[in-house]
Amino acid sequence: MTSLTRRLRRAPAILAMALTCALLTPFGQAQAAPDQQAAPFDVLVFSKTAGFRHDAIPAGISALQTLGQQNDFTVTATEDAAAFTTANLSGYEAVVFLNTTGDVLDASQQTAFQSYVDSGGGYFGVHAAADTEYDWSYYGQLVGAYFQSHPAIQQATVKNEDRTHPATTHLGATWTRTDELYNYRTNPRAGVRVLQTLDETTYTGGTMGADHPITWCHNQGAGRSFYTGLGHTIESYSDPAFRSLLLGAVRYAAGQVSADCSPAPATGPVEAESYTSGSGVQIAGHAPASGGQTLGYIDNGDWAGYASVPTAGATSFSAKVSSAGAGGTIEIRSGSATGTLLGSVTVPVTGGWETFTTVSTTLTATASGPLFLRFTGGSGSLFDIDTFTLATEPASSELSPNVHLFYYPWYGSPAVNGGWRHWQQGGRTPPEDIGADLYPALGAYDSADYAGAVAQHMKWVARSGAGVIVYSWWGQGGYEDQLARGVLDAAQKEGVKVAWHLEPYTGRTAASTVADIQYINTTYGGHPAFYRDAEHADKGAFYVFESLKITDWAALDQVTGNSIVLAQTTDTTKIAHFSGLYTYDGIAGATAPGWKQAGDYARANNLIWAPSVAPGYLDDRAVPGNTTPTVDRAGGAAYDRQWSNALDPAIGGSPTWVSVTSFNEWHEGSSIEPADSTPPAGHGYLTYEGAYGLTGEAAQTAYLDRTAYWVGLFGTALRD
């Protein structure tokens, strides 16, 4: 099979189309989560009320019982607070406070419940759970924020800020909901991982401004806490998308699935009106501003604090500002309004409150506390701030030897190679017209440009947190073989290691594959960038693409003593003589067919399991007229879903490694390599615009940085 016809889709077309349709179902019509069977567990649902009583409580209990029947957990419903004893609570993995109100536990029951959670139990609060136990400070910390008020039931837009949590992974960037929408006494963001916020511009009665959390989670002692303000109406509990949220929340609270619920540092532009503390400042409405609001009413000596914006490593500050007042100065401080002064920037008079300009400054001092902005100037109103960005120097971290990026060294250009190679696929005319639906930030580069493109690639690989590239290799003496040493040299400089993807060149056999592995080990095995797995006797790693095309792999016994050799399949009856298995398929990861069975088998037989995840798939320009199903990136949701499936033990089978399809296979649209935010015009190129909420140049590296996020979660899962 040639590189020109290589596909992400490896399953039959009908199955792949079905999987793609499932992935691309409108998120507003999300289906209930599939019945992924985990270990049985027990949940206590508590719905006692000492104040207002919600008529949706019976519907909520019924929905949780049905989810339990479908997903192998038991539900015990009670309104008897006597259930809160140390002995009784020890029989449950999670406790759900379902629309509780008022003072529902006495002192001894509070003590028992606090001990239960802090010792490793799970809490899940639904809606009016925030209208409960106002006089118990521990509960306020547990739930995250207390109820303050609510407008009438109405439709609003929920922004799904974090779609990596099992409770939100099924949702798109936004979700239209009709519910009773709580305002809270405080913004919980500083101490929780916010998963969903309300867009107050889409309904009336919101009082929290641009940053209005409605669903969040956090660690509590050795236990877990999850809260959603949704769930007032009876209709909510028959909505498949809301039921999926309930299921993911219950499974997280019960410790059946992992999630990063640590407070998330702010990235990219921050809405200035999303302050968590302040003096004198207020939110002001201005139509041209981001979100239609600014931080306003700023006078001399006022300040605003941002608990979720750390200043550690901060190198520069920029802000979008307007002023029809006196203008003035923004002081950038750390820890408090009088804390370490990192720098300051002058705000000019712009001529109007809706006339914005950008000001910026370099920060010279260092500190690690949360960000505070203090404002100085003349008398009266000074200026407004729309958004700001605090740029930081990325913290160095050890690269993961367990995350592997498929890497393609098959590109060529006239300047280096003497002619175009691979970019012209699909009958295109490089450099501006290439066979890809996305355009590289580096342009139509050459894979032999070691000091330029390849060196930058290795810096980007390191930025992703992945410690290994899987080098596409098409045979001894071939183009890629000739470039291998130069790529190894570039990888070494960034601490990146190199494994090998053995491609299906013409005439490949089991015997020739053995000879290839021996050749690679002999030729490159002494290079310091040659990947050797410390967990498996320092063996090198070889992924064998299209391994099912050869039925007898007995010859591999000659090399598996000193090399890890993976078959490309989830069919465990087809991996005799291999050291493990991987998938490569970038479509199947959306539903992970066979992943758990493959992972369980690998673990039981001391084999490697390395499922592959991909951010998307589109090859229209590379293969004109091709009918292969495509996978829309959905602003990053597709990538998150595949990673989430891989790391969920009930779905992904607890991987040894996770492989990523791909770093730079541009023809299939599966790349995480930065894509140009302003590609050559006239060719219909897509960009990463909007991925994870990022725009312009910031979006170019969105998938690299999201990979680093998932690498971190995978590392945590492996340690647990």
Side-chain angles (χ1 to χ4, degrees):
M1 171 173 170
T2 68
S3 62
L4 298 183
T5 58
R6 181 171 185 148
R7 297 272 66 76
L8 274 174
R9 179 181 61 87
R10 310 303 182 193
I14 294 176
L15 174 60
M17 182 66 78
L19 296 176
T20 304
C21 291
L23 177 63
L24 299 180
T25 298
F27 288 107
Q29 304 171 19
Q31 300 299 305
D35 296 342
Q36 301 295 344
Q37 297 300 319
F41 60 97
D42 300 288
V43 175
L44 178 66
V45 177
F46 184 55
S47 54
K48 180 179 178 180
T49 56
F52 181 84
R53 185 170 182 84
H54 286 72
D55 58 6
I57 288 175
I61 293 172
S62 177
L64 288 166
Q65 289 172 333
T66 299
L67 290 171
Q69 293 166 2
Q70 295 172 341
N71 295 276
D72 205 15
F73 63 89
T74 64
V75 171
T76 301
T78 186
E79 299 203 354
D80 185 358
F84 284 75
T85 66
T86 300
N88 187 58
L89 291 174
S90 67
Y92 299 98
E93 278 71 30
V95 177
V96 179
F97 274 47
L98 177 64
N99 279 319
T100 53
T101 56
D103 188 359
V104 292
L105 300 177
D106 66 23
S108 65
Q109 293 158 357
Q110 291 174 352
T111 298
F113 188 48
Q114 178 173 341
S115 176
Y116 163 79
V117 175
D118 286 349
S119 298
Y123 163 85
F124 173 21
V126 179
H127 192 57
D131 189 25
T132 302
E133 294 290 343
Y134 289 98
D135 297 327
W136 183 22
S137 60
Y138 174 83
Y139 185 83
Q141 180 184 13
L142 179 65
V143 71
Y146 283 119
F147 163 81
Q148 182 179 58
S149 65
H150 67 78
I153 296 171
Q154 58 192 294
Q155 181 175 289
T157 296
V158 176
K159 295 185 288 186
N160 298 305
E161 182 174 315
D162 187 330
R163 288 177 284 162
T164 67
H165 195 285
T168 54
T169 188
H170 63 292
L171 298 170
T174 60
W175 185 22
T176 301
R177 293 282 304 156
T178 297
D179 215 324
E180 184 181 78
L181 307 170
Y182 277 5
N183 301 305
Y184 299 95
R185 296 184 180 184
T186 57
N187 188 317
R189 183 178 292 275
V192 304
R193 173 64 62 109
V194 175
L195 306 178
Q196 297 178 309
T197 57
L198 295 178
D199 183 349
E200 289 193 356
T201 67
T202 64
Y203 73 101
T204 59
T207 64
M208 298 181 69
D211 185 23
H212 187 151
I214 195 67
T215 302
W216 56 79
C217 62
H218 67 99
N219 301 319
Q220 183 72 34
R224 299 155 301 282
S225 172
F226 188 103
Y227 171 81
T228 182
L230 306 175
H232 172 88
T233 66
I234 294 174
E235 293 78 10
S236 294
Y237 296 93
S238 59
D239 177 357
F242 186 68
R243 284 195 174 202
S244 290
L245 185 149
L246 293 176
L247 177 59
V250 167
R251 294 182 68 209
Y252 161 74
Q256 303 301 300
V257 293
S258 60
D260 184 358
C261 285
S262 58
T267 59
V270 177
E271 296 288 346
E273 67 272 20
S274 65
Y275 60 95
T276 53
S277 60
S279 175
V281 296
Q282 299 179 44
I283 296 173
H286 292 294
S290 173
Q293 296 178 320
T294 65
L295 179 72
Y297 302 95
I298 297 172
D299 295 327
N300 182 51
D302 289 350
W303 58 268
Y306 301 85
S308 61
V309 183
T311 58
T315 56
S316 66
F317 173 87
S318 63
K320 183 181 176 184
V321 298
S322 67
S323 177
T329 300
I330 303 172
E331 296 179 352
I332 301 93
R333 294 182 176 270
S334 177
S336 72
T338 57
T340 301
L341 179 64
L342 306 179
S344 62
V345 63
T346 299
V347 177
V349 175
T350 64
W353 294 114
E354 298 187 350
T355 302
F356 291 92
T357 189
T358 299
V359 296
S360 60
T361 186
T362 299
L363 304 181
T364 55
T366 59
S368 59
L371 175 70
F372 282 78
L373 302 179
R374 184 174 180 272
F375 314 114
T376 62
S379 61
S381 297
L382 302 182
F383 48 81
D384 280 10
I385 306 177
D386 181 9
T387 61
F388 65 82
T389 300
L390 190 71
T392 59
E393 192 70 35
S396 60
S397 60
E398 184 177 350
L399 303 183
S400 172
N402 302 309
V403 179
H404 302 181
L405 312 182
F406 290 108
Y407 180 82
Y408 294 87
W410 53 24
Y411 302 106
S413 68
V416 179
N417 181 63
W420 294 110
R421 182 179 176 86
H422 229 61
W423 294 118
Q424 71 273 33
Q425 183 170 322
R428 304 297 172 177
T429 306
E432 292 194 349
D433 181 20
I434 64 171
D437 287 80
L438 295 149
Y439 193 81
L442 296 179
Y445 55 77
D446 195 298
S447 294
D449 180 12
Y450 306 123
V454 179
Q456 181 60 67
H457 283 173
M458 297 308 141
K459 292 181 185 297
W460 280 334
V461 170
R463 177 170 175 165
S464 80
V468 182
I469 61 169
V470 186
Y471 187 89
S472 177
W473 189 86
W474 289 83
Q476 299 180 37
Y479 182 76
E480 296 77 18
D481 187 33
Q482 296 173 38
L483 304 187
R485 191 166 297 279
V487 174
L488 283 158
D489 290 343
Q492 180 191 356
K493 293 178 181 178
E494 302 301 329
V496 175
K497 303 299 183 181
V498 180
W500 306 84
H501 206 186
L502 304 184
E503 305 284 8
Y505 58 78
T506 301
R508 187 184 72 175
T509 64
S512 73
T513 301
V514 168
D516 291 337
I517 293 172
Q518 292 171 333
Y519 166 83
I520 290 172
N521 280 329
T522 300
T523 306
Y524 306 113
H527 196 287
F530 188 92
Y531 174 63
R532 296 186 183 279
D533 185 13
E535 299 296 321
H536 295 86
D538 286 331
K539 296 178 181 179
F542 299 85
Y543 291 72
V544 180
F545 186 69
E546 290 192 347
S547 58
L548 296 183
K549 289 196 170 182
I550 297 172
T551 57
D552 183 3
W553 284 101
L556 289 179
D557 293 345
Q558 301 173 53
V559 292
T560 50
N562 62 5
S563 299
I564 297 168
V565 187
L566 304 186
Q568 189 226 339
T569 183
T570 56
D571 186 347
T572 55
T573 69
K574 307 288 187 179
I575 62 172
H577 308 289
F578 282 91
S579 313
L581 58 170
Y582 76 110
T583 57
Y584 190 84
D585 189 332
I587 291 178
T591 53
W595 281 21
K596 186 178 189 308
Q597 181 270 336
D600 289 349
Y601 181 90
R603 188 167 56 256
N605 291 276
N606 198 30
L607 299 174
I608 301 290
W609 165 230
S612 306
V613 299
Y617 173 64
L618 183 62
D619 67 352
D620 293 354
R621 287 176 55 82
V623 190
N626 180 49
T627 59
T628 300
T630 60
V631 175
D632 186 88
R633 290 179 179 244
Y639 197 38
D640 284 353
R641 182 174 300 181
Q642 296 205 22
W643 265 105
S644 181
N645 284 343
L647 301 194
D648 185 340
I651 302 174
S654 301
T656 316
W657 306 332
V658 173
S659 50
V660 178
T661 309
S662 61
F663 177 78
N664 65 332
E665 219 300 20
W666 289 96
H667 310 294
E668 295 177 347
S670 67
S671 49
I672 65 169
E673 180 185 349
D676 198 335
S677 60
T678 56
H683 302 288
Y685 291 117
L686 301 176
T687 67
Y688 296 161
E689 185 75 10
Y692 304 107
L694 300 174
T695 59
E697 289 189 5
Q700 293 184 164
T701 56
Y703 289 96
L704 288 179
D705 296 334
R706 195 58 166 185
T707 301
Y709 168 82
W710 283 108
V711 168
L713 284 187
F714 186 34
T716 298
L718 289 175
R719 290 191 295 271
D720 289 346

